[in-house]
Amino acid sequence: MRIANRIVSVLIIVFGIFLTLQSKKFDYMVDGTPGPGFMPYWLGIAIALVALIPLIKTFTQFASKLDNPFQTGDFKNFFIVIGSSIVVMIITPVTGLLIALSLMVGVIARLMGTKSWKTVIGLTICTPILLFGIFVMILNVPLPKGIFGF
Amino acid sequence: METLENLLFGLSVASDPINLLYCLVGVVFGTLVGALPGLGPAAGIAVLLPLTFGADPIAGIILLAGIYYGAMYGGSITSILINTPGDSAAVMTTLDGYPLAKKGRAAQALGMAAFASIIGGTISVIAFMFLAPALATFAIRFGPPEYFALMVLGLTTIAGMTGKYPSKGFISALVGLFFATVGLDLMQGIPRFTFGSMHLYEGIDFIPVAMGLFGIAEILTCGTSECEIKIDKKDVTWRKLLPSREDWKFSMPHIFRGTGIGFFIGMLPGAGATIASFISYGVAKKTSKRSEEFGTGVIEGVAAPESANNAASIGAMVPMLTLGVPGSGSTAIMLGALMMFGLRPGPMLFERNPDFVWGLIGSMYIGNIFLLLLAILAVPLFIKILNVPRPVLNATVMSFILIGSYSLSNSMFDVGLTIAFGALGFFMKKMDFPAAPMVLALVLGALLETSLRQSMIISGGNPMIFFTRPISGSILVISILAILYPMIKKAIQHFLKSRTA
């Protein structure tokens, strides 16, 4: 936890400084009143200053008592869910959103531990039908279509 | 006496079979859109608006109002069962609702959410009936300094949401305030932090952030068997839906307080049910006898925001009907619908179209009864969701989240934003950065900055404007006391302890 906190604190401080520098692009004051750069400027400074607290704590006894937040296997679900969601974004122009989501549902269910193929295939088929019923039929949401026309 | 006569007249108008049908459809549909992540009442109202085109204006507004307050209850269902707020007003319900579900008390949490919603809604309709003109006159006096003070008051609730590490909570809030600055600057019209993306010109929408930080982060961190929630079928009985006497004892004061807060904040243009639920939760946490247990699954943590968001949905109709000023995004759409019906919202509406106004008020009483019936009938069905294996539930919920975020503005950019905030939420959760302060700050940030700058323009750059105006001054004093109260309380306890020792 100590190393993770230290890295995150440094990143947040860098972000705060970046924000303050970026805010210089906008007027700080306009006719004696706060301009568009006023709030981001002070937010950047505040973020950097507050982030010093967890950073300083990593050098104290307090930090050594904390457990490592990342355990073996923690990233498995992260890669499955975020990875398959990114794939949805990439393949939607080709397959359409409904097919992309149906594939994602099957992949997530299977890789997260559903052993029965019947359940996986059932989910892959039923979920887009349910989504189509609610979002297209009832709510008239125009979902992105792929090269197959749906 | 006149009010009661008007109410009876309104109930007779609302009891017309067509109006009853529209009310029922509105409440059922509202509960559905409220429960679906990403689809809030505004989207639901907008989608069903075409249904009212050919209908009588009274039936039309009854349908739209039903969606609005139905969605307020519906949002709590997914908040409690899968830690995914159906809409922004239900975010606070997740904080204690989901831990209650994990403890095996999902039925009681859902039951309390329903009762708190209905009590909050019904009391607010009564208040609406008696206090509408006077309260609307009070709310119209709010200018930018008062709004700034109100936003500061809202942000003071962050102090109660910082979790184990206050500094991390405040970082989360400050980053949330930064996200609120993204987009076109409303006063100068220049893009800020958009990095050339047209999609960011309108700013970062609250819903993808909330769905990512709460919904996806939950799937990412709780995909394993230890997060599996199993409810014994014996737990899913009608009787279990009824909160216990102890639950009522803990919740009743917070329901009444939440109703008052929700109704008042709902009336303020722009504030809305989300801020009402945030403040109500914060107040409940501060005033509860077991405030240190908040966030671990206390029933009043569900009752307070749920009563507030339903009360706010009714309160938001006060300025809309009496002044023609919408109190929220949903009432803005309803205001457009009123104009579409050929009605002119404002004080004269009560005189010129009493059947319309009192018919709507009457329908709200009936709608709340429908809501209660629906809550009792549908809750066991929703609880069954919990018994679905976690991988299956995760996969299905993920598809709902992504399609829901797309449907916000029919944009794949929102889908990407939701995924990005989901990834951020995972790391925040692992590193003990609470998500709620970020979400609250994002909601309040835009109005906070705008009202600050408008106030300074009014005063010619003199910050004393916030203290010299009585309403803003009073609210700011309350905010300062809210910040100092825990410290003073701690100091007094310490003093008393040292004296007794």
Side-chain angles (χ1 to χ4, degrees):
Chain A
M1 187 74 166
R2 187 202 291 257
I3 301 295
N5 260 330
R6 201 171 287 171
I7 294 168
V8 169
S9 301
V10 170
L11 286 175
I12 293 169
I13 291 168
V14 171
F15 172 71
I17 295 167
F18 169 76
L19 189 55
T20 304
L21 293 175
Q22 283 287 309
S23 70
K24 294 270 189 189
K25 288 181 182 172
F26 315 112
D27 293 333
Y28 178 75
M29 296 293 271
V30 179
D31 299 329
T33 59
F38 179 86
M39 186 104 156
Y41 178 82
W42 287 108
L43 279 175
I45 290 175
I47 288 170
L49 286 177
V50 180
L52 280 173
I53 300 170
L55 180 67
I56 291 166
K57 276 189 182 169
T58 62
F59 294 100
T60 63
Q61 288 268 311
F62 172 77
S64 60
K65 293 174 196 162
L66 302 171
D67 296 331
N68 181 6
F70 298 102
Q71 305 299 323
T72 324
D74 271 355
F75 282 98
K76 186 186 158 210
N77 289 336
F78 180 85
F79 288 127
I80 292 169
V81 175
I82 298 296
S84 54
S85 302
I86 292 169
V87 171
V88 167
M89 296 279 295
I90 295 166
I91 66 169
T92 292
V94 180
T95 60
L97 188 58
L98 279 177
I99 290 184
L101 287 176
S102 71
L103 293 173
M104 180 197 78
V105 167
V107 169
I108 292 178
R110 179 70 190 169
L111 296 181
M112 278 186 139
T114 307
K115 292 199 175 95
S116 157
W117 275 105
K118 238 188 234 174
T119 310
V120 172
I121 293 166
L123 264 180
T124 311
I125 294 167
C126 293
T127 309
I129 294 171
L130 180 72
L131 296 177
F132 181 81
I134 295 172
F135 287 90
V136 179
M137 302 291 282
I138 300 174
L139 300 173
N140 282 321
V141 177
L143 297 180
K145 290 174 182 168
I147 54 171
F148 310 110
F150 50 84
Chain B
M1 198 62 193
E2 194 191 339
T3 309
L4 286 176
E5 276 174 20
N6 284 331
L7 176 63
L8 288 174
F9 168 64
L11 284 170
S12 71
V13 173
S15 304
D16 183 90
I18 288 292
N19 292 341
L20 281 177
L21 180 69
Y22 267 79
C23 186
L24 182 65
V25 170
V27 169
V28 171
F29 191 80
T31 307
L32 180 70
V33 293
L36 290 173
L39 273 174
I45 291 169
V47 167
L48 272 204
L49 201 56
L51 274 185
T52 65
F53 287 167
D56 181 69
I58 301 171
I61 197 72
I62 284 174
L63 175 91
L64 300 180
I67 296 171
Y68 192 23
Y69 53 76
M72 290 300 144
Y73 165 66
S76 69
I77 297 170
T78 41
S79 292
I80 292 166
L81 295 183
I82 53 174
N83 202 27
T84 302
D87 66 89
S88 57
V91 167
M92 300 314 285
T93 311
T94 58
L95 298 185
D96 277 284
Y98 187 61
L100 275 168
K102 277 183 164 175
K103 285 180 185 173
R105 300 198 69 219
Q108 286 89 341
L110 285 166
M112 182 52 83
F115 281 109
S117 296
I118 289 146
I119 294 170
T122 308
I123 294 173
S124 296
V125 177
I126 296 168
F128 178 96
M129 216 166 60
F130 286 101
L131 304 172
L135 287 176
T137 311
F138 179 69
I140 200 70
R141 283 156 54 191
F142 272 53
E146 286 74 23
Y147 273 108
F148 175 76
L150 191 73
M151 296 305 107
V152 172
L153 180 66
L155 285 173
T156 60
T157 58
I158 284 173
M161 297 175 199
T162 50
K164 281 189 279 182
Y165 311 108
S167 58
K168 289 184 174 181
F170 285 112
I171 291 169
S172 175
L174 289 166
V175 175
L177 281 175
F178 158 67
F179 287 139
T181 66
V182 174
L184 277 182
D185 175 52
L186 291 175
M187 299 181 82
Q188 284 204 333
I190 53 165
R192 289 188 297 181
F193 308 107
T194 55
F195 304 104
S197 169
M198 292 286 283
H199 295 289
L200 287 173
Y201 272 42
E202 286 182 27
I204 295 175
D205 198 287
F206 165 84
I207 296 292
V209 178
M211 286 201 297
L213 292 181
F214 288 94
I216 298 182
E218 176 62 32
I219 291 171
L220 296 176
T221 52
C222 246
T224 42
S225 54
E226 77 261 20
C227 293
E228 199 95 17
I229 297 171
K230 283 283 173 197
I231 287 189
D232 197 311
K233 278 189 178 174
K234 285 174 198 161
D235 288 338
V236 195
T237 60
W238 304 115
R239 193 181 288 178
K240 292 261 177 180
L241 281 172
L242 297 173
S244 67
R245 190 175 288 183
E246 200 189 20
D247 288 340
W248 280 115
K249 200 182 99 189
F250 277 116
S251 300
M252 275 320 272
H254 300 288
I255 291 175
F256 288 123
R257 209 174 283 129
T259 302
I261 292 168
F263 185 73
F264 176 70
I265 290 175
M267 282 196 311
L268 303 174
T274 306
I275 295 172
S277 63
F278 273 105
I279 294 179
S280 171
Y281 184 86
V283 170
K285 188 175 176 178
K286 279 206 164 73
T287 53
S288 174
K289 283 174 191 163
R290 44 180 187 177
S291 58
E292 66 286 351
E293 288 175 43
F294 268 62
T296 62
V298 288
I299 199 81
E300 60 267 40
V302 171
E306 280 305 307
S307 60
N309 64 29
N310 264 59
S313 69
I314 309 285
M317 289 189 211
V318 174
M320 181 192 78
L321 290 175
T322 56
L323 304 163
V325 179
S328 66
S330 309
T331 46
I333 301 170
M334 286 164 75
L335 189 75
L338 285 180
M339 289 172 173
M340 190 182 75
F341 297 144
L343 297 167
R344 196 182 175 87
M348 297 305 286
L349 192 69
F350 281 80
E351 284 185 26
R352 287 186 189 154
N353 303 88
D355 54 339
F356 179 86
V357 176
W358 290 101
L360 173 64
I361 292 171
S363 82
M364 289 193 223
Y365 283 102
I366 295 169
N368 273 305
I369 295 166
F370 282 153
L371 203 60
L372 180 66
L373 292 174
L374 189 71
I376 293 168
L377 293 173
V379 161
L381 180 75
F382 282 115
I383 283 187
K384 283 185 181 166
I385 294 170
L386 283 176
N387 287 331
V388 173
R390 193 76 198 193
V392 173
L393 189 64
N394 282 345
T396 318
V397 169
M398 197 61 202
S399 69
F400 268 88
I401 288 174
L402 294 191
I403 203 168
S405 60
Y406 174 82
S407 65
L408 269 176
S409 51
N410 299 336
S411 158
M412 285 303 282
F413 180 79
D414 285 334
V415 180
L417 208 58
T418 309
I419 298 167
F421 275 102
L424 178 67
F426 169 79
F427 288 104
M428 284 175 65
K429 213 167 177 181
K430 285 284 173 190
M431 297 294 299
D432 285 326
F433 282 87
M438 184 180 283
V439 175
L440 174 70
L442 176 62
V443 173
L444 302 182
L447 199 52
L448 177 88
E449 187 188 11
T450 310
S451 53
L452 167 72
R453 288 165 67 186
Q454 284 173 340
S455 306
M456 296 297 267
I457 289 170
I458 292 169
S459 69
N462 182 4
M464 286 311 289
I465 188 172
F466 300 114
F467 294 96
T468 51
R469 290 172 60 126
I471 300 173
S472 67
S474 309
I475 297 172
L476 281 177
V477 168
I478 293 169
S479 309
I480 293 165
L481 289 176
I483 295 167
L484 294 178
Y485 175 70
M487 289 183 243
I488 296 169
K489 194 177 160 188
K490 222 173 188 177
I492 292 171
Q493 279 172 347
H494 184 74
F495 174 73
L496 290 174
K497 225 177 193 178
S498 61
R499 272 192 65 177
T500 48

